[in-house]
Amino acid sequence: MIYALKNGKTVHVRGPRIEDAAQIIHVIATADTETRFLARNPGELAVTVEQEQNMIARVLNDPDRTWFVAECDGQIVGQCAVGFVRGLARWRHRAEVAFVVLDRYCGMGIGGKMMQECLGWCRERGVMQVELEVVTDNQRALAMYRGFGFEVVGTQPRAMRYDDGTFADEYKMVKVL
């Protein structure tokens, strides 16, 4: 789907293609250097283009999860993933989401457009509860998630440990559909 952004540009939120693998790796590796809010330290992403292509193929053929990329200015600038928490019947009312957007593209509404796609995927599959984790200091992401109706339901203290010995707490957030 093509969306208009706050700055007048457009973003194309779509499923990834096999040929996107190198760009997706670049987005993740770059984002890892731009923020401390993601799961990896810079340089920890150890995936080849071939491995990423295989991952894309697996996700495209998996009815229990999907993946979206955000393309702006002819380049992939973000991605999000959504899928059932578990495949067992008692868990299939729940899905989880995760996002990354390159820093220079934050604040344009790209994350919100990807969230719309993720929530649409969830509604189509009868998901009743969408979940995510977010570092408690990530004010920009918290504002977006709250704007979509997510609520904090708990805190995981010391969820991540940084190289300098400091820690980050994470919120567990939930949106009931």
Side-chain angles (χ1 to χ4, degrees):
M1 178 71 92
I2 297 176
Y3 295 96
L5 297 174
K6 297 174 187 176
N7 64 359
K9 292 186 178 194
T10 60
V11 64
H12 185 191
V13 179
R14 60 172 176 79
R17 297 186 285 254
I18 299 298
E19 60 268 20
D20 294 331
Q23 280 193 64
I24 291 169
I25 292 169
H26 174 74
V27 166
I28 297 167
T30 301
D32 285 346
T33 68
E34 295 177 335
T35 180
R36 292 170 46 115
F37 298 138
L38 301 177
R40 291 166 306 276
N41 285 324
E44 280 189 323
L45 179 65
V47 62
T48 66
V49 170
E50 182 179 358
Q51 289 169 327
E52 190 73 12
Q53 290 171 333
N54 290 336
M55 185 183 316
I56 293 168
R58 280 193 308 276
V59 170
L60 292 176
N61 291 306
D62 187 343
D64 289 349
R65 62 185 173 143
T66 197
W67 186 358
F68 296 102
V69 296
E71 188 174 10
C72 190
D73 299 328
Q75 296 293 315
I76 294 174
V77 300
Q79 68 167 13
C80 61
V82 60
F84 290 107
V85 171
R86 294 192 187 161
L88 301 171
R90 291 184 179 184
W91 297 72
R92 290 187 68 82
H93 67 289
R94 296 171 54 203
E96 53 192 350
V97 296
F99 293 83
V100 63
V101 177
L102 292 176
D103 191 58
R104 69 183 176 276
Y105 288 90
C106 287
M108 296 180 185
I110 292 171
K113 302 310 181 192
M114 289 193 297
M115 178 66 84
Q116 288 177 9
E117 293 291 331
C118 288
L119 294 176
W121 183 92
C122 290
R123 287 185 180 101
E124 289 171 5
R125 282 150 188 82
V127 170
M128 302 169 79
Q129 179 170 301
V130 184
E131 306 171 10
L132 58 86
E133 288 85 32
V134 60
V135 173
T136 59
D137 293 338
N138 191 345
Q139 296 303 316
R140 188 166 45 201
L142 282 166
M144 183 185 89
Y145 299 147
R146 286 185 173 124
F148 275 94
F150 283 81
E151 296 180 3
V152 173
V153 296
T155 304
Q156 176 67 48
R158 298 165 56 115
M160 292 194 299
R161 183 174 183 272
Y162 298 117
D163 285 342
D164 65 5
T166 61
F167 295 89
D169 298 344
E170 282 186 333
Y171 288 136
K172 174 76 167 196
M173 297 186 81
V174 171
K175 174 182 177 59
V176 176
L177 296 179

